Amino acid sequence: MPPSTTGTTPTPTRLTRPAATPFREALPVPLVRAGARGRVALTALAAALVTAVLAWRYAGHTDAGRTDREVAALLDTQHGVPRVLAEAFAALGGPLPVAVALLVLAPLAWFLRGGRGLALVLVGPPTAMITTSLVLKPLVERTRGGELAFPSGHTTSVASLAVACGVLVLGLTTLPRALRLLAVAGLAGLVLAVGVGLVVRGYHYPTDTLGALGVAVAVVLGAALAVDAWSDVVADPGPDPRSFDPRERPTDVLPRAVREE
């Protein structure tokens, strides 16, 4: 530090951390809290298990199962406003709306949750969509109207984006908890509306949409845990080498380093 022309030692400038705002954390935080990662992993595993059981049950089938018929009977709407709404919600899982949603969500995730949020959006939903369309559909070979139906691609697209949004929103601790839960409830309602719309319009069986929801939850939550794990490894600088005394023997330094961690 150069000497002051007035003969006094200048006060060093202190770097301050950016203040938190109602929509952004002051410092990067994990996508999933450390204490909740076990529960999130179990949730992802349970979702994957549901999809696996349904895939095994309906592999190679071309007709509806008993559960499909009972649920579809409750949603039988052929005319009027409900039919129009069903078509509108079903269309939300199409390629164009999904592409627009990804383009909007990616920078928003970066703003709200930094690099971890952006990585989740770029990895989670696209991986879920690829898993459904290129892996599970050809593998299960369940068809409806001559088209591969399990899991539902439209439901996977919307659900995976909704789960990613839910992870981003739940981590915003600067927002009131009630507001975060309300946002998640709205996302869940949107996914339900899309699934119902696909069933009402006859594009999918109910179990197709349930299997797709399992794919979205399993893949996106798994991606969130993977992003956190990778980010934690990259961000960990390890022990500070300046804290070691070169005169100490390795057997003296190692226990102290373990205690500091």
Side-chain angles (χ1 to χ4, degrees):
M1 179 183 300
S4 172
T5 56
T6 61
T8 59
T9 303
T11 304
T13 302
R14 299 187 62 181
L15 298 177
T16 58
R17 294 172 177 174
T21 70
F23 300 103
R24 188 173 186 175
E25 303 290 341
L27 292 174
V29 294
L31 295 170
V32 181
R33 292 185 298 104
R37 289 178 184 176
R39 297 192 298 272
V40 170
L42 288 176
T43 302
L45 183 61
L49 183 61
V50 168
T51 299
V53 170
L54 291 175
W56 171 80
R57 169 65 177 81
Y58 295 106
H61 286 212
T62 59
D63 55 352
R66 178 180 177 181
T67 302
D68 292 319
R69 291 192 297 270
E70 292 177 351
V71 174
L74 298 175
L75 303 175
D76 187 15
T77 302
Q78 300 297 330
H79 304 286
V81 175
R83 179 184 175 88
V84 175
L85 290 176
E87 183 66 35
F89 279 116
L92 292 178
L96 182 58
V98 170
V100 172
L102 278 173
L103 289 176
V104 173
L105 186 57
L108 182 61
W110 171 266
F111 173 76
L112 294 176
R113 305 299 300 276
R116 297 192 189 209
L118 178 62
L120 174 65
V121 172
L122 295 182
V123 173
T127 302
M129 298 174 203
I130 292 172
T131 301
T132 287
S133 299
L134 301 184
V135 179
L136 292 178
K137 278 192 173 184
L139 184 65
V140 177
E141 291 187 327
R142 186 192 197 186
T143 59
R144 176 163 185 163
E147 300 290 337
L148 294 174
F150 183 93
S152 164
H154 282 55
T155 306
T156 299
S157 300
V158 175
S160 60
L161 289 168
V163 174
C165 288
V167 172
L168 297 174
V169 170
L170 288 176
L172 291 176
T173 56
T174 54
L175 290 179
R177 184 171 183 269
L179 186 58
R180 286 178 280 155
L181 293 178
L182 182 62
V184 171
L187 292 169
L190 174 63
V191 175
L192 178 61
V194 171
V196 170
L198 291 168
V199 173
V200 168
R201 296 296 293 118
Y203 299 136
H204 282 284
Y205 298 119
T207 47
D208 297 335
T209 62
L210 181 58
L213 179 60
V215 173
V217 172
V219 172
V220 175
L221 292 186
L225 294 173
V227 168
D228 274 340
W230 173 256
S231 300
D232 290 344
V233 170
V234 172
D236 184 8
D240 188 351
R242 294 172 297 179
S243 64
F244 296 107
D245 188 341
R247 295 171 296 180
E248 291 180 316
R249 294 173 298 175
T251 53
D252 297 329
V253 175
L254 183 58
R256 179 158 62 84
V258 172
R259 288 196 301 271
E260 290 178 355
E261 291 178 357

